[in-house]
């Protein structure tokens, strides 16, 4: 009868088990660290890309804001021209075509639209956490907040413009304007459709309310211009900060 001898299994010592466990632990830990480092490098690269894009958006905001200031100044000049006419003609029952043009120009203003491409991407992707620079993050938050405030003021501003327009429609005699309305699809009194020497009748009962309304439009236009100029300065300062902090000079 054959007897099979099983090979002897070498028993590991306690120290060897400890060493193997330590090696496995170190391997897992190093893998975790490597993955964490890789993610941080990727996040930093994404952060810089976002900042480069944000700088372009801020430059776009600045250009848009600055382009609007001359239009606000034109509106203010038109308002003062209307004031000057009624100051010189307190009992006026008609206005000239030129005064009518100034009254129409005193109605409208520039609508500012912010470039929100990058900030929306950051918000939607939860990317605000990527901005490591506390000063940049705080300044961007303040810049956002002021745009929200500007939107609030714009709503009030627009309502007042509509009120001014409604008051003008009551004050102007449509019979003196209807030919221009019919013949011109864009702007009245161009191309000689109505003579520049024509007189347009107005309803004196609305003049007092109109002039008072126009004064508040002047005040609000001046305030609005100041707010947007401050925002243009914030855009420029934030742009400089980002360029400095992220080496984008």
């Amino acid at each position: 009868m054959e007897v099979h001898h099983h090979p002897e299994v070498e028993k590991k010592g306690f120290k060897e088990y400890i060493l193997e466990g330590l090696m496995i632990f170190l391997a897992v830990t190093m893998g975790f660290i490597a993955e964490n480092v890789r993610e941080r490098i990727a996040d930093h690269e994404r952060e810089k890309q976002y900042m480069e894009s944000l700088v372009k958006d801020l430059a776009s905001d600045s250009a848009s804001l600055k382009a609007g200031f001359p239009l606000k100044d034109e509106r203010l000049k038109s308002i003062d021209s209307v004031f000057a006419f009624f100051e010189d003609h307190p009992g006026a029952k008609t206005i000239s075509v030129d005064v009518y043009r100034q009254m129409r120009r005193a109605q409208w203003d520039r609508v500012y639209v912010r470039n929100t491409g990058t900030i929306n991407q950051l918000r939607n992707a939860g990317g605000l956490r990527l901005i490591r620079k506390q000063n940049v993050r705080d300044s961007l938050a303040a810049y956002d907040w002021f745009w929200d405030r500007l939107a609030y003021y714009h709503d009030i501003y627009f309502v007042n413009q509509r009120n001014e327009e409604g008051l003008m429609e009551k004050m102007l005699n449509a019979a003196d304007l209807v030919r221009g309305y019919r013949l011109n699809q864009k702007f009245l009194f161009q191309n000689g459709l109505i003579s520049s020497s024509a007189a347009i009748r107005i309803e004196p009962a609305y003049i007092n309310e109109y002039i008072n309304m126009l004064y508040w439009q002047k005040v609000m236009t001046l305030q609005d211009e100041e707010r947007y100029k401050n925002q243009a300065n914030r855009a420029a300062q934030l742009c400089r900060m980002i360029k400095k902090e992220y080496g984008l000079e």
Side-chain angles (χ1 to χ4, degrees):
M1 181 176 180
E2 294 182 4
V3 178
H4 297 281
H5 296 280
H6 296 283
E8 293 184 4
V9 178
E10 185 179 352
K11 294 182 179 181
K12 296 181 180 180
F14 181 73
K15 291 183 179 180
E16 292 182 41
Y17 281 114
I18 293 295
L19 182 59
E20 286 185 5
L22 182 60
M23 293 297 290
I24 293 172
F25 173 76
L26 288 175
V28 172
T29 301
M30 292 302 293
F32 176 78
I33 292 174
E35 180 64 19
N36 194 39
V37 170
R38 186 192 66 79
E39 288 183 0
R40 284 192 177 186
I41 292 173
D43 284 348
H44 292 173
E45 183 61 30
R46 288 174 61 204
E47 178 188 14
K48 188 170 183 179
Q49 290 173 357
Y50 276 128
M51 292 302 103
E52 289 172 347
S53 182
L54 187 58
V55 164
K56 293 178 182 179
D57 287 357
L58 290 168
S60 175
D61 287 347
S62 294
S64 176
L65 289 166
K66 290 177 181 178
F69 299 141
L71 297 178
K72 284 189 176 293
D73 291 338
E74 287 177 15
R75 184 186 193 193
L76 290 167
K77 289 178 182 178
S78 291
I79 290 174
D80 283 341
S81 293
V82 175
F83 285 156
F85 171 80
F86 284 108
E87 185 177 8
D88 293 340
H89 306 83
K93 295 182 179 179
T94 63
I95 59 173
S96 67
V97 169
D98 182 61
V99 173
Y100 173 83
R101 286 197 186 102
Q102 296 298 332
M103 290 172 68
R104 285 296 186 193
R105 180 60 190 87
Q107 280 183 287
W108 61 272
D109 204 344
R110 173 69 177 267
V111 176
Y112 294 100
V113 179
R114 178 190 178 187
N115 191 331
T116 59
T118 303
I119 190 64
N120 285 344
Q121 289 180 26
L122 280 165
R123 288 170 177 162
N124 294 336
L128 289 175
R129 64 178 178 79
L130 294 176
I131 304 176
R132 295 170 296 145
K133 311 286 186 179
Q134 184 69 41
N135 56 341
V136 173
R137 191 162 59 246
D138 291 346
S139 295
L140 180 56
Y143 185 70
D144 271 349
W145 185 86
F146 278 109
W147 269 113
D148 289 341
R149 294 299 296 169
L150 288 169
Y152 165 76
Y153 285 119
H154 173 265
D155 290 343
I156 299 174
Y157 200 72
F158 181 74
V159 168
N160 281 308
Q161 281 185 241
R162 295 298 301 168
N163 289 339
E164 180 190 344
E165 290 170 7
L167 196 56
M168 269 190 65
E169 303 314 323
K170 294 178 181 178
M171 187 168 66
L172 297 168
N173 190 305
D176 297 332
L177 299 168
V178 68
R179 183 170 184 271
Y181 292 161
R182 178 174 61 83
L183 296 177
N184 198 316
Q185 299 298 318
K186 293 184 178 180
F187 302 102
L188 286 177
F189 311 119
Q190 288 187 349
N191 305 321
L193 295 176
I194 293 182
S195 171
S196 59
S197 62
I200 302 166
R201 288 169 289 175
I202 57 176
E203 295 291 341
Y206 294 105
I207 292 176
N208 185 70
E209 186 178 356
Y210 171 73
I211 291 175
N212 286 330
M213 167 66 76
L214 204 59
Y215 166 70
W216 286 111
Q217 288 293 77
K218 177 179 180 178
V219 171
M220 293 187 70
T221 301
L222 287 166
Q223 292 174 340
D224 202 56
E225 184 174 33
E226 185 66 21
R227 283 190 289 264
Y228 279 110
K229 283 183 177 180
N230 289 337
Q231 190 70 341
N233 290 334
R234 292 186 193 98
Q237 291 170 3
L238 181 55
C239 191
R240 288 193 297 269
M241 179 187 295
I242 292 173
K243 287 181 177 180
K244 180 181 177 181
E245 292 290 345
Y246 291 90
L248 302 177
E249 297 290 353

